[in-house]
Amino acid sequence: MKKNIINILLLLFTVFSYSQNQKYFEAVYDIYYNTDVPQTKKAKLQVDKINKHSIFHIGKTKDNNGGSSVSSSDDGLNYTIQYSDLDRFIEMDFKNSKIYSKETHRGNVYFVKDSILNLNWNLNYDDEKKIGSLMCKKATTHFRGRDYTAWYTLEIPLAYGPYKFHGLPGLIASISDSSNTFTWTIASYKIQAEKPDFKYDKKLEPLISAKKYYSEIRYPSASEQESIVQSKLPQGIKLISVTSDAHIRKGVEIEFEWEKETKED
């Protein structure tokens, strides 16, 4: 009983300490993409608690060279290639419910403006586990076509997490989708003295909407794909048919709220 009381007091002290002293916070995450070509990456989450602003750097940061690795196999030979990441980021402005991100697709760079969605978290779990030194609790949600299981810690009472995940009573220490294709896991964290280097300003223009980016660039329709192929053929050559798996959506986000609205209409 005495031990439980001490643990509760320590937790309350930790919560009080974070709420009183923390203005800026930083966490480093390991990312694993179990896609057609498995990839591992490093990313950094930086939070400005007072202004309700966060930025998730994927790639090069001040103390991270952005090295990622790709593992594959060919003719019985397993190999890993290391390469330098592009400087990608996801910046979330909670005061205005907006997301600004730098995306790359087929060698082109796009600055995308998205909306912060309210995630419907299920917290009705008794499961607990430790991730590093952090005791974490289980939660689940659905986000743009994938089901996720998250582990959050009340020891760091910040409603932030990697990628676009947010809204839990504590920092998300780990989260993965139900197929274990995409996984983010915390590697380290600290209270940061310096304000995060936010990216959104006039330099990012022109911005395109998330709807335009995902509907027309990332996941174009079959007819749009055929038009692209046709445009690359010599004059006088007509495309009869094309077969591809390009219509299969393989990214983190694969279903969107505007598509549901169209179906309902």
Side-chain angles (χ1 to χ4, degrees):
M1 180 68 179
K2 184 177 180 181
K3 184 177 179 180
N4 289 336
I5 293 174
I6 292 174
N7 288 335
I8 292 172
L9 290 174
L10 286 173
L11 178 60
L12 289 174
F13 176 77
T14 302
V15 172
F16 178 79
S17 176
Y18 268 97
S19 62
Q20 294 298 312
N21 301 322
Q22 179 192 340
K23 186 174 181 181
Y24 308 127
F25 175 84
E26 179 179 297
V28 174
Y29 286 84
D30 292 322
I31 306 175
Y32 179 59
Y33 294 162
N34 187 24
T35 48
D36 294 339
V37 180
Q39 301 179 51
T40 57
K41 296 174 178 284
K42 284 282 188 183
K44 180 186 291 183
L45 172 68
Q46 294 180 297
V47 176
D48 179 349
K49 179 184 174 184
I50 303 301
N51 293 301
K52 297 182 179 179
H53 213 147
S54 72
I55 186 165
F56 190 63
H57 300 270
I58 307 170
K60 296 178 181 178
T61 57
K62 287 183 179 179
D63 53 3
N64 175 20
N65 291 325
S68 295
S69 62
V70 174
S71 300
S72 190
S73 60
D74 186 25
D75 295 329
L77 179 67
N78 297 320
Y79 57 89
T80 300
I81 300 171
Q82 186 153 2
Y83 63 94
S84 294
D85 271 334
L86 295 172
D87 181 15
R88 186 186 167 207
F89 65 84
I90 299 170
E91 182 175 324
M92 301 182 72
D93 177 359
F94 286 89
K95 283 187 176 180
N96 297 300
S97 297
K98 296 299 180 185
I99 301 175
Y100 303 97
S101 64
K102 179 181 179 181
E103 308 289 345
T104 59
H105 185 65
R106 300 189 183 278
N108 296 314
V109 175
Y110 304 91
F111 294 110
V112 181
K113 182 179 180 180
D114 200 358
S115 298
I116 296 178
L117 302 179
N118 291 324
L119 301 182
N120 184 22
W121 291 101
N122 181 3
L123 306 180
N124 297 321
Y125 297 96
D126 296 324
D127 309 59
E128 292 185 336
K129 73 174 181 178
K130 268 198 167 185
I131 297 176
S133 61
L134 299 171
M135 181 58 70
C136 300
K137 299 174 71 65
K138 180 180 177 181
T140 56
T141 193
H142 182 86
F143 175 62
R144 286 184 170 170
R146 295 185 183 274
D147 295 318
Y148 290 91
T149 296
W151 295 91
Y152 66 97
T153 177
L154 297 177
E155 296 174 29
I156 306 176
L158 296 174
Y160 297 86
Y163 195 68
K164 298 178 182 179
F165 302 108
H166 65 94
L168 283 168
L171 182 75
I172 297 173
S174 180
I175 184 167
S176 60
D177 71 303
S178 57
S179 65
N180 288 318
T181 302
F182 301 97
T183 302
W184 299 260
T185 304
I186 196 167
S188 63
Y189 61 92
K190 64 181 178 180
I191 292 176
Q192 181 69 6
E194 298 179 3
K195 183 178 180 179
D197 181 20
F198 294 112
K199 302 291 186 180
Y200 174 60
D201 55 29
K202 295 296 181 182
K203 294 178 183 178
L204 297 187
E205 294 183 353
L207 288 169
I208 64 171
S209 68
K211 182 177 180 179
K212 180 179 178 65
Y213 173 71
Y214 285 107
S215 300
E216 300 180 17
I217 298 170
R218 186 67 185 274
Y219 303 127
S221 65
S223 60
E224 289 172 328
Q225 291 172 20
E226 290 181 10
S227 297
I228 293 171
V229 175
Q230 179 67 63
S231 68
K232 296 180 180 179
L233 294 177
Q235 188 173 2
I237 303 298
K238 185 176 181 180
L239 181 68
I240 301 300
S241 64
V242 60
T243 301
S244 170
D245 65 350
H247 66 284
I248 300 175
R249 299 179 176 184
K250 299 179 180 181
V252 178
E253 301 172 50
I254 55 178
E255 292 179 2
F256 303 92
E257 54 278 8
W258 55 80
E259 294 174 327
K260 296 177 182 178
E261 292 169 1
T262 302
K263 289 179 181 179
E264 289 174 358
D265 292 343

